[in-house]
Amino acid sequence: MKKLSLKSIMIACASVLGCIGTFLSWGNVKVLSYTASVKGTAGDGWLTFIAFLAIAAIAAAFILKEAMPTAAKSAITALGVGIIVFAIIKVVDINSIGFGASAGLGLYWIIIFGLVAAALPWIPFNKMLGKK
Protein backbone atom coordinates (compact mmCIF):
# COMPACT_ATOMS: atom_id res chain seq x y z
CA MET A 1 0.00 0.00 0.00
CA LYS A 2 1.44 3.34 -1.05
CA LYS A 3 1.63 6.21 1.37
CA LEU A 4 0.07 9.54 0.49
CA SER A 5 2.30 12.61 0.27
CA LEU A 6 1.62 14.94 3.20
CA LYS A 7 3.04 17.86 1.20
CA SER A 8 0.70 17.27 -1.74
CA ILE A 9 -2.30 16.94 0.56
CA MET A 10 -1.45 20.19 2.34
CA ILE A 11 -0.95 22.05 -0.95
CA ALA A 12 -4.24 20.74 -2.31
CA CYS A 13 -6.05 21.75 0.90
CA ALA A 14 -4.53 25.25 0.80
CA SER A 15 -5.62 25.65 -2.81
CA VAL A 16 -9.17 24.49 -2.09
CA LEU A 17 -9.34 26.98 0.77
CA GLY A 18 -8.00 29.61 -1.64
CA CYS A 19 -10.84 28.80 -4.05
CA ILE A 20 -13.30 29.74 -1.31
CA GLY A 21 -11.91 33.29 -1.43
CA THR A 22 -13.48 33.72 -4.87
CA PHE A 23 -16.92 33.41 -3.30
CA LEU A 24 -16.20 35.83 -0.46
CA SER A 25 -16.47 39.61 -0.57
CA TRP A 26 -13.81 41.29 -2.73
CA GLY A 27 -15.03 44.82 -2.29
CA ASN A 28 -17.21 46.73 0.13
CA VAL A 29 -18.80 50.13 -0.24
CA LYS A 30 -20.34 52.03 2.63
CA VAL A 31 -22.15 55.32 2.02
CA LEU A 32 -24.10 56.72 4.94
CA SER A 33 -26.26 53.79 6.06
CA TYR A 34 -26.04 51.91 2.76
CA THR A 35 -23.57 49.03 2.54
CA ALA A 36 -22.89 46.90 -0.54
CA SER A 37 -20.51 44.06 -1.16
CA VAL A 38 -19.13 42.51 -4.36
CA LYS A 39 -17.90 38.93 -4.54
CA GLY A 40 -15.04 37.71 -6.68
CA THR A 41 -17.51 35.74 -8.81
CA ALA A 42 -18.92 39.05 -10.09
CA GLY A 43 -15.74 39.81 -12.00
CA ASP A 44 -12.32 38.43 -12.72
CA GLY A 45 -12.16 36.45 -9.48
CA TRP A 46 -12.61 33.36 -11.61
CA LEU A 47 -8.97 33.76 -12.67
CA THR A 48 -7.77 33.09 -9.13
CA PHE A 49 -10.26 30.23 -8.82
CA ILE A 50 -8.83 28.57 -11.93
CA ALA A 51 -5.25 29.17 -10.76
CA PHE A 52 -6.00 27.57 -7.38
CA LEU A 53 -7.61 24.60 -9.16
CA ALA A 54 -4.46 24.24 -11.26
CA ILE A 55 -2.37 24.19 -8.07
CA ALA A 56 -4.64 21.50 -6.62
CA ALA A 57 -4.37 19.44 -9.83
CA ILE A 58 -0.56 19.61 -9.84
CA ALA A 59 -0.43 18.62 -6.17
CA ALA A 60 -2.90 15.78 -6.75
CA ALA A 61 -0.76 14.44 -9.60
CA PHE A 62 2.05 13.79 -7.11
CA ILE A 63 -0.03 12.62 -4.16
CA LEU A 64 1.36 9.08 -4.41
CA LYS A 65 4.97 10.18 -4.91
CA GLU A 66 7.51 10.58 -2.14
CA ALA A 67 9.11 13.64 -3.73
CA MET A 68 7.69 16.33 -5.97
CA PRO A 69 9.80 17.26 -9.03
CA THR A 70 11.31 20.74 -9.14
CA ALA A 71 9.23 21.64 -12.20
CA ALA A 72 6.00 20.90 -10.30
CA LYS A 73 7.20 22.87 -7.28
CA SER A 74 8.13 25.79 -9.51
CA ALA A 75 4.76 25.70 -11.29
CA ILE A 76 2.88 25.73 -7.99
CA THR A 77 5.01 28.59 -6.68
CA ALA A 78 4.61 30.58 -9.91
CA LEU A 79 0.83 30.19 -9.81
CA GLY A 80 0.77 31.13 -6.12
CA VAL A 81 2.89 34.24 -6.69
CA GLY A 82 0.68 35.19 -9.64
CA ILE A 83 -2.39 34.92 -7.43
CA ILE A 84 -0.75 37.04 -4.73
CA VAL A 85 0.30 39.78 -7.18
CA PHE A 86 -3.15 39.81 -8.79
CA ALA A 87 -4.91 40.07 -5.41
CA ILE A 88 -2.57 42.81 -4.13
CA ILE A 89 -3.23 44.85 -7.28
CA LYS A 90 -6.98 44.43 -6.67
CA VAL A 91 -6.63 45.50 -3.02
CA VAL A 92 -4.72 48.63 -4.03
CA ASP A 93 -7.20 49.43 -6.83
CA ILE A 94 -10.25 49.05 -4.59
CA ASN A 95 -8.76 50.90 -1.63
CA SER A 96 -7.71 53.80 -3.88
CA ILE A 97 -11.28 54.43 -5.06
CA GLY A 98 -12.19 56.23 -1.85
CA PHE A 99 -15.81 57.13 -1.16
CA GLY A 100 -16.16 54.40 1.45
CA ALA A 101 -14.79 51.62 -0.79
CA SER A 102 -12.53 49.01 0.75
CA ALA A 103 -11.12 45.62 -0.17
CA GLY A 104 -13.06 42.70 1.23
CA LEU A 105 -12.10 39.59 3.17
CA GLY A 106 -11.97 37.44 0.02
CA LEU A 107 -8.95 39.25 -1.38
CA TYR A 108 -7.00 38.96 1.86
CA TRP A 109 -8.05 35.31 2.10
CA ILE A 110 -6.67 34.71 -1.41
CA ILE A 111 -3.38 36.44 -0.56
CA ILE A 112 -2.92 34.27 2.54
CA PHE A 113 -3.65 30.96 0.83
CA GLY A 114 -1.70 31.98 -2.28
CA LEU A 115 1.29 32.53 -0.01
CA VAL A 116 0.75 29.19 1.75
CA ALA A 117 0.43 27.32 -1.57
CA ALA A 118 3.53 29.07 -3.00
CA ALA A 119 5.69 28.27 0.03
CA LEU A 120 4.63 24.70 0.86
CA PRO A 121 6.40 22.92 -2.03
CA TRP A 122 9.78 24.07 -0.72
CA ILE A 123 9.33 23.03 2.92
CA PRO A 124 11.32 19.82 3.59
CA PHE A 125 8.62 17.77 5.31
CA ASN A 126 10.57 14.51 5.02
CA LYS A 127 13.53 15.96 6.94
CA MET A 128 11.19 17.46 9.52
CA LEU A 129 9.54 14.07 10.01
CA GLY A 130 12.91 12.29 10.29
CA LYS A 131 12.76 10.58 6.87
CA LYS A 132 15.55 10.57 4.32
Side-chain angles (χ1 to χ4, degrees):
M1 181 172 171
K2 289 200 169 205
K3 293 183 180 180
L4 299 177
S5 167
L6 176 63
K7 183 182 289 191
S8 293
I9 291 170
M10 290 177 69
I11 293 168
C13 287
S15 64
V16 169
L17 288 170
C19 286
I20 292 170
T22 303
F23 301 97
L24 298 175
S25 171
W26 275 34
N28 301 309
V29 177
K30 184 172 183 180
V31 179
L32 300 173
S33 63
Y34 176 74
T35 302
S37 162
V38 177
K39 296 179 181 174
T41 55
D44 48 8
W46 290 107
L47 296 173
T48 59
F49 184 81
I50 291 167
F52 274 121
L53 286 181
I55 291 171
I58 294 168
F62 297 99
I63 202 158
L64 294 176
K65 305 284 184 191
E66 186 75 26
M68 186 179 288
T70 303
K73 291 178 184 181
S74 298
I76 290 170
T77 300
L79 286 165
V81 169
I83 290 167
I84 293 165
V85 169
F86 178 81
I88 289 173
I89 290 170
K90 287 293 182 186
V91 167
V92 170
D93 284 349
I94 293 169
N95 287 339
S96 68
I97 293 172
F99 304 108
S102 63
L105 172 67
L107 284 171
Y108 296 109
W109 183 279
I110 285 171
I111 291 169
I112 291 167
F113 286 104
L115 179 62
V116 170
L120 277 175
W122 306 101
I123 296 174
F125 286 106
N126 287 341
K127 288 183 182 177
M128 291 170 48
L129 297 173
K131 298 178 183 178
K132 287 186 176 183

